Amino acid sequence: MKSVNKILVALVILALGSCLASAYDPSPLQDFCVAIDEPKNAVFVNGKFCKNPAETVAEDFFFGGLNVPRDTNNANGVNVTLLNVDQIAGLNTLGISLARLDYAPNGGLNPPHTHPRATEILVVIEGTLLVGFVTSNPNKLITKTLYPGDVFVFPIGLIHFQFNIAKTKGVAFAGLSSQNPGVITIANAVFGPNPPINPDLLAKAFMLDPYVVKDLQNKFANVN
C-alpha cells in the first residue's frame, strides 16, 4: 500500500510540474497560428485568434530592416527594437521573440529591468558591454564585460542590465523565450507609476529623504 501511495505522490508531482511548465508560452498544437485581431475571422484558437492556415502568407513570418541602426539620442542612450508577436504575427504560440539593441558610445545604458515571462540570451556585435543580473534573495550580482562575439544569458524574471563602456557605438541582438516577454524597468516602475506610490513608503523602503523621493517621482512622472 505504501508503494502505491508513493507512486501516486510521484504522479501528482509530475502533473504539477507539467502545469507549472504550461504556465509559460504554450506548446503549439499545430504548425503555426498566425495571430489576427478580429476573432470573427478566426478559424483556430491557440494563444491568440489564428488566421486560417490556407490564407497564411510569407509576410506573416517576416520583418525587414533590422540591419538599420536605431536612434540612441535619449536619456539612457539606448534603443531597443523588439520583435514580438505584435510585430511578427507568425510568432504566435512559438514561444520566441527577438530584439536589436543599439547603445550610444560612452555610456549607452539599457537600465536595470526584468522580463517576467522570458529568459534572454544576448550576443554582442559591436561595442564593449558591461552586463549583469542580480539573483533573488540573498542578492548576488553576476557580472561580466562582453566584447563582439561574446554571448551572455539573463535568467527569466531576474533584474539585469547592459552598459556600453566603449568609445564607439554598441549593437547587440537578444533572443527571448516568449512571444511576448514583457519588460519592467525598475526605476520607472518604482518612481513613475500612475498613480504614484506613496513617497513616505518609498522613503522608508529605500532609506531616502522624502524630498529626494519626490524629486525622483517628478523626474520619472512622464517617462512611462
Side-chain angles (χ1 to χ4, degrees):
M1 188 67 179
K2 290 183 177 179
S3 62
V4 172
N5 289 336
K6 289 180 179 179
I7 292 172
L8 289 174
V9 169
L11 290 173
V12 169
I13 291 172
L14 287 172
L16 287 173
S18 298
C19 291
L20 290 172
S22 64
Y24 300 102
D25 287 9
S27 297
L29 303 179
Q30 53 217 39
D31 287 345
F32 47 77
C33 170
V34 176
I36 58 173
D37 295 326
E38 181 49 70
K40 73 179 183 181
N41 295 326
V43 176
F44 302 101
V45 177
N46 185 358
K48 283 193 173 187
F49 291 101
C50 305
K51 178 188 288 190
N52 185 335
E55 299 175 1
T56 299
V57 296
E59 297 300 316
D60 294 326
F61 303 91
F62 173 79
F63 181 94
L66 208 58
N67 59 313
V68 179
R70 267 54 178 179
D71 182 14
T72 57
N73 185 24
N74 54 59
N76 287 321
V78 71
N79 191 311
V80 180
T81 305
L82 177 64
L83 303 184
N84 63 11
V85 67
D86 295 325
Q87 285 74 43
I88 304 178
L91 285 179
N92 190 38
T93 75
L94 298 185
I96 59 170
S97 54
L98 177 71
R100 173 185 170 123
L101 299 100
D102 290 86
Y103 310 86
N106 294 312
L109 171 67
N110 193 11
H113 63 282
T114 73
H115 301 295
R117 294 180 291 276
T119 291
E120 175 180 345
I121 184 167
L122 181 92
V123 57
V124 179
I125 306 301
E126 298 181 45
T128 302
L129 302 185
L130 175 65
V131 307
F133 64 85
V134 179
T135 67
S136 53
N137 294 344
N139 303 127
K140 178 181 178 181
L141 174 63
I142 307 293
T143 185
K144 190 169 181 61
T145 300
L146 305 183
Y147 302 93
D150 289 346
V151 175
F152 199 81
V153 173
F154 306 103
I156 184 171
L158 297 186
I159 295 173
H160 60 284
F161 59 85
Q162 303 107 34
F163 185 54
N164 184 21
I165 58 177
K167 295 180 180 179
T168 57
K169 69 177 183 178
V171 179
F173 287 88
L176 300 113
S177 61
S178 171
Q179 68 179 40
N180 189 16
V183 62
I184 302 171
T185 304
I186 306 306
N188 297 2
V190 172
F191 296 107
N194 184 20
I197 299 173
N198 184 299
D200 293 329
L201 182 157
L202 293 178
K204 186 171 184 178
F206 287 90
M207 294 181 283
L208 296 172
D209 188 290
Y211 292 103
V212 174
V213 171
K214 290 178 181 178
D215 181 56
L216 289 169
Q217 288 181 317
N218 289 333
K219 289 178 178 177
F220 283 95
N222 298 316
V223 172
N224 290 322

